[in-house]
Amino acid sequence: MLLTTRQLFEKCYGRYAIPAVNVFFMEEIHGLFAAAQEANAPFIVQTTPFARDYAHADMLLSMIAAAARIYPQVTYAIHMDHGYEAHIFDAIEKGGYTSVMIDASHDDFDKNVARTKAVVAAAHAKGISVEAELGVLAGVEDDLTVDAEHSFYTNPQQVVDFVHATDCDSLAIAVGTSHGAYKFSGGQGLQFHILEEIQRRLPGFPLVLHGGSNVVPEVIERINAAGGQLKTDAKGVQEEEVRKAIPLGICKINIATDTRLLWTMVNREFFRDRPEEFAPTTPGKIFMEEYKQFMLKKFDLFGCTGKAGDFSA
Ligand SMILES: [Zn+2]
């Protein structure tokens, strides 16, 4: 069942979070849909500008549509992650997405409001949900790099005004996460006092956590043991932090880095251990199964295993 993110958040708020998974290629889409069907868990499949540049939006949406036929029991939304006006208005016109993000967080407050409002008006006219962003995350997402000194936490005092002025359906907030594999190098962790303050001012409003990967040290070690050279001091969002953030209104947690690390680990180990192999489909099969197992664990952690039943017609 294809839903909007707004429909998903109406049921999950305060109870569980929905993983929003960035996909770039076919094996990930199989792994994601297979896991969701097995776990009976709702999810959000999403595409970044980089993914659309790489594979083409039509290719990604066509693969997602095929996956929905192959795994017919899934409950999900299709979301455009980090959209900009050109992509968003095109997508609203052509269809395919049930939810879009307008990322105007690098603009000042008034300009962010104006850009978000324009997207909301067009999207809502077609029944599409809108995620906006307030506050700036550090890190690397696609080709956009934000230094720590140019990032800033979401100001809870601005959140109410922003949401009322824009009528957005959910809000991505900056509360200590960052994009990319090198999160929390300073060890600061999630800023729960900001999250609590936002929820106090805006109870019931769905919040989104970008940069929600866990960056498991064991995965980094295995990649490096198979020839990788990744920094070992990186730390992602810890499982305890996820559990604590959900009752505070985090409804959507974006995952991209963890699945890229998984791909790197599977392929590096495969070609190290089986140097005579050259068929992409052999490690591809291993990756799909590992990806599925990875997602089953995420569904458990986020509390959404079995929750697709919340949305039965
Ligand atoms: Zn993001």
Side-chain angles (χ1 to χ4, degrees):
M1 192 188 332
L2 179 59
L3 300 171
T4 64
T5 50
R6 187 191 175 100
Q7 289 171 311
L8 292 175
F9 301 155
E10 273 167 8
K11 300 276 184 182
C12 79
Y13 184 92
R15 299 168 57 218
Y16 55 92
I18 316 255
V21 190
N22 282 106
V23 294
F24 301 85
F25 51 93
M26 182 202 74
E27 288 79 357
E28 295 175 311
I29 296 171
H30 262 299
L32 174 60
F33 277 71
Q37 181 154 292
E38 186 171 314
N40 198 29
F43 67 99
I44 298 162
V45 57
Q46 60 183 21
T47 64
T48 63
F50 183 76
R52 294 191 298 275
D53 267 0
Y54 173 69
H56 199 286
D58 192 15
M59 180 64 81
L60 292 167
L61 290 171
S62 298
M63 285 195 290
I64 290 166
R69 293 191 295 273
I70 298 165
Y71 306 95
Q73 267 101 56
V74 294
T75 297
Y76 68 113
I78 307 175
H79 177 74
M80 179 185 283
D81 188 25
H82 289 281
Y84 301 100
E85 279 83 348
H87 305 133
I88 293 170
F89 290 118
D90 189 52
I92 290 171
E93 196 191 310
K94 288 186 184 143
Y97 291 90
T98 62
S99 177
V100 294
M101 177 195 187
I102 165 70
D103 179 0
S105 62
H106 300 271
D107 287 325
D108 65 36
F109 184 86
D110 290 338
K111 196 165 175 204
N112 189 351
V113 166
R115 288 178 63 192
T116 302
K117 237 174 127 169
V119 166
V120 167
H124 282 184
K126 291 278 183 84
I128 297 169
S129 305
V130 178
E131 174 185 324
E133 179 163 352
L134 194 61
V136 176
L137 274 73
V140 182
E141 172 130 10
D142 293 352
D143 47 4
L144 181 73
T145 303
V146 178
D147 299 335
E149 61 265 31
H150 294 116
S151 67
F152 52 87
Y153 295 137
T154 304
N155 178 352
Q157 294 177 343
Q158 290 186 331
V159 169
V160 178
D161 288 344
F162 184 87
V163 167
H164 288 159
T166 62
D167 198 27
C168 63
D169 302 289
S170 63
L171 187 67
I173 49 169
V175 287
T177 54
S178 56
H179 289 126
Y182 302 120
K183 306 170 190 301
F184 297 159
S185 295
Q188 74 276 31
L190 277 198
Q191 305 297 300
F192 285 101
H193 63 284
I194 301 177
L195 207 47
E196 281 161 7
E197 186 59 23
I198 293 170
Q199 192 191 40
R200 194 181 66 75
R201 288 167 188 261
L202 213 57
F205 189 79
L207 303 173
V208 178
L209 198 62
H210 280 234
S213 282
N214 184 206
V215 193
V216 180
E218 190 213 330
V219 172
I220 304 284
E221 281 162 27
R222 282 173 64 178
I223 289 170
N224 288 348
Q229 292 188 359
L230 298 182
K231 284 196 242 169
T232 54
D233 63 344
K235 206 168 139 245
V237 180
Q238 300 303 294
E239 296 193 346
E240 270 320 298
E241 293 179 305
V242 168
R243 286 189 200 100
K244 214 173 140 186
I246 291 169
L248 296 171
I250 294 290
C251 288
K252 171 177 181 274
I253 302 179
N254 288 7
I255 299 168
T257 300
D258 276 344
T259 58
R260 295 180 201 189
L261 292 171
L262 185 68
W263 182 90
T264 305
M265 183 186 83
V266 166
N267 285 288
R268 278 200 177 277
E269 289 185 341
F270 178 83
F271 288 109
R272 175 196 62 190
D273 298 339
R274 297 167 75 173
E276 74 288 359
E277 291 275 358
F278 61 91
T281 45
T282 318
K285 269 190 183 168
I286 299 170
F287 174 69
M288 282 193 265
E289 182 55 30
E290 291 271 345
Y291 192 106
K292 184 179 151 192
Q293 297 304 325
F294 165 85
M295 279 313 307
L296 291 174
K297 283 189 208 136
K298 286 286 176 199
F299 289 134
D300 280 347
L301 173 64
F302 292 6
C304 64
T305 301
K307 295 298 196 296
D310 284 0
F311 305 93
S312 47

